[in-house]
């Protein structure tokens, strides 16, 4: 009934029993911007926490057109056929800025979306990138509690979103195209340092040989970088997502990565440090919110901005003054 609080225990039971309805309901709370939904979502997560963490978490990035959705379709279908349960999430950095979408609204991953072992959730839209980040991370945990054992998180090669995804997955891969020259010299170095594997896609037809050459270039480059994961040499591979060629090799690489890092403790260590970083991300976010929602700040922020703009006080003084007042009026 409207106004009645939901039966959270029933949702928890539903999710543990693999009910899609209950999972969808919980994700709605996580994604909602209403404070009461937020608290339902957090309560659900806390109850389900023990059931999370059993999936392998894989991040996938690449420029638009690299073949991310084609890859996820082939890769995801292969895993579903093997009996895995695959959840596909996305962080679309453009959704927070424009409400638009770089990852695309076109019907993506059509076959995978119809498979009963697959669950596909588009990037949460609206709000800050920080908000999208939180929602995706928490949705991932809900999916794990619901029994999904492979999580794929897709993003696009823009700004912060790749660092965000690296910070929530075990294995991070870059889908690249033939002709890596620009990537290798320019700003892409930063992204390359995050990658556990580079997959040169579209290695089919006439593109097969050039793709092999590109793979070698990436390999050379990766050898010069500090590894993204301790004890793991990141390497390049080729595949054709379209022709379903080389996809199984990539899964084998990920499984090797998983057993190695589990045995060495690097996997557990990374997850612990991700959980710690996450605490700090949330602290910053909540401090920010607290500050900007504080009545004094709401009332006087513009005054202090103006004083700084007019050169009456330094910008530092304006900030300091606002902080002082916020602390004075904090119980
Ligand atoms: P995304 O923007 O990274 O998700 O890229 P898409 O998966 O939408 O692919 C972009 C275009 O490349 C589409 O026309 C795909 O059909 C095509 N494509 C994707 N993978 C391959 C591949 O392995 N070989 C070939 N020849 N084309 C591909």
């Amino acid at each position: 009934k409207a106004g009645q609080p939901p039966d959270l225990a029933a949702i928890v039971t539903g999710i543990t029993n693999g009910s899609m309805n209950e999972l969808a309901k919980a994700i709605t709370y996580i994604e909602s911007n209403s404070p009461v939904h937020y608290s339902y979502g957090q309560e659900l997560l806390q109850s389900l926490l023990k059931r999370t963490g059993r999936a392998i978490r894989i991040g996938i990035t690449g420029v638009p057109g690299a073949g991310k959705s084609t890859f996820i379709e082939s890769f995801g279908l292969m895993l579903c056929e093997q009996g895995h349960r695959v959840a596909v999430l996305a962080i679309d950095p453009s959704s927070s800025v424009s409400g638009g979408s770089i990852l695309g609204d076109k019907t993506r991953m059509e076959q995978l979306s119809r498979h009963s072992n697959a669950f596909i959730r588009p990037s949460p839209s609206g709000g800050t990138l920080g908000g999208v980040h939180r929602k995706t991370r928490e949705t991932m945990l809900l999916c794990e509690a619901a029994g999904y054992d492979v999580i794929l998180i897709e993003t696009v090669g823009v700004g912060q979103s790749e660092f965000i995804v690296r910070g929530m997955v075990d294995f991070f891969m870059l889908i690249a195209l033939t002709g890596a020259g620009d990537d290798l010299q320019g700003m892409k170095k930063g992204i390359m340092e995050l990658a556990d594997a580079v997959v040169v896609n579209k290695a089919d037809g006439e593109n097969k040989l050039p793709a092999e050459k590109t793979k070698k270039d990436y390999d050379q480059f990766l050898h010069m970088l500090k590894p993204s994961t301790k004890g793991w040499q990141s390497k390049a591979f080729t595949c054709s997502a379209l022709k379903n060629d080389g996809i199984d090799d990539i899964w084998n690489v990920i499984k090797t990565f998983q057993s190695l890092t589990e045995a060495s403790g690097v996997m557990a260590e990374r997850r612990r440090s991700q959980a710690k970083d996450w605490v700090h991300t949330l602290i910053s976010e909540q401090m920010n919110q607290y500050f900007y929602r504080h009545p004094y700040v709401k009332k006087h922020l513009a005054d202090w901005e103006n004083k700084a703009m007019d050169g009456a006080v330094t910008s530092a003084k304006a900030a300091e003054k606002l902080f002082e007042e916020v602390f004075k009026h904090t119980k």
Side-chain angles (χ1 to χ4, degrees):
K1 276 164 253 140
Q4 288 263 23
D7 184 350
L8 295 180
I11 299 180
V12 167
T13 312
I15 290 176
T16 3
N17 293 335
S19 152
M20 294 297 273
N21 262 343
E22 303 304 305
L23 175 62
K25 211 182 282 174
I27 294 176
T28 311
Y29 291 141
I30 292 293
E31 289 184 347
S32 159
N33 291 317
S34 118
V36 53
H37 287 175
Y38 176 86
S39 69
Y40 296 157
Q42 295 308 313
E43 218 175 297
L44 289 170
L45 274 177
Q46 185 62 47
S47 309
L48 289 163
L49 194 58
K50 280 200 188 64
R51 299 186 162 270
T52 67
R54 280 177 224 152
I56 175 87
R57 304 164 176 172
I58 303 167
I60 298 175
T61 189
V63 295
K68 293 179 296 302
S69 48
T70 311
F71 178 86
I72 291 171
E73 168 109 326
S74 299
F75 189 68
L77 276 172
M78 174 189 79
L79 295 176
C80 287
E81 291 301 321
Q82 291 174 9
H84 290 285
R85 296 185 63 209
V86 179
V88 181
L89 311 176
I91 290 191
D92 187 336
S94 63
S95 65
S96 68
V97 183
S98 59
S101 160
I102 315 181
L103 289 175
D105 294 326
K106 57 191 150 97
T107 319
R108 309 169 85 235
M109 308 163 205
E110 237 181 277
Q111 289 186 61
L112 184 61
S113 63
R114 284 197 300 264
H115 201 289
S116 58
N117 280 356
F119 177 75
I120 302 182
R121 189 83 180 176
S123 180
S125 59
T128 60
L129 186 54
V132 171
H133 177 187
R134 175 186 66 77
K135 292 166 185 178
T136 305
R137 193 177 202 280
E138 292 175 351
T139 297
M140 168 175 87
L141 298 176
L142 288 178
C143 290
E144 289 181 348
Y148 289 91
D149 65 332
V150 180
I151 311 281
L152 303 178
I153 304 184
E154 179 189 8
T155 195
V156 149
V158 181
Q160 281 306 101
S161 65
E162 278 155 332
F163 292 89
I164 286 178
V165 173
R166 169 75 275 185
M168 60 172 116
V169 298
D170 306 312
F171 187 93
F172 190 68
M173 61 191 257
L174 170 68
I175 299 195
L177 290 171
T178 304
D182 301 345
D183 283 7
L184 293 182
Q185 280 151 33
M187 358 178 283
K188 282 291 162 183
K189 179 165 178 276
I191 302 308
M192 295 275 292
E193 281 172 333
L194 303 179
D196 294 306
V198 173
V199 178
V200 181
N201 187 33
K202 309 196 187 182
D204 46 48
E206 287 180 354
N207 204 32
K208 206 162 171 152
L209 278 174
E212 286 298 331
K213 161 97 179 58
T214 300
K215 168 197 130 57
K216 288 196 183 110
D217 292 344
Y218 271 114
D219 261 337
Q220 272 188 358
F221 192 72
L222 286 166
H223 263 282
M224 298 186 299
L225 298 178
K226 184 172 174 281
S228 176
T229 301
K230 211 161 78 188
W232 176 259
Q233 175 58 55
S234 304
K235 289 201 181 110
F237 304 88
T238 58
C239 83
S240 169
L242 197 66
K243 307 269 188 255
N244 230 321
D245 192 9
I247 303 293
D248 48 349
D249 296 337
I250 292 163
W251 178 235
N252 287 331
V253 169
I254 294 172
K255 281 196 297 195
T256 305
F257 175 93
Q258 186 178 23
S259 47
L260 267 173
T261 53
E262 274 174 3
S264 67
V266 166
M267 169 87 75
E269 200 182 301
R270 169 176 269 151
R271 286 197 176 180
R272 284 174 60 81
S273 103
Q274 287 175 338
K276 178 176 158 187
D277 291 348
W278 186 235
V279 172
H280 291 279
T281 303
L282 292 176
I283 290 175
S284 309
E285 200 165 285
Q286 283 173 26
M287 290 219 297
N288 238 308
Q289 275 187 12
Y290 182 84
F291 182 85
Y292 285 106
R293 285 179 186 167
H294 192 282
Y296 180 86
V297 174
K298 277 192 167 162
K299 198 157 165 225
H300 296 285
L301 179 62
D303 302 345
W304 286 104
E305 282 173 352
N306 283 324
K307 283 187 189 141
M309 287 191 284
D310 298 343
V313 299
T314 62
S315 296
K317 189 78 199 163
E320 199 182 307
K321 209 57 205 163
L322 284 158
F323 262 108
E324 250 175 53
E325 292 297 329
V326 165
F327 282 123
K328 233 186 259 172
H329 298 108
T330 296
K331 296 158 263 113

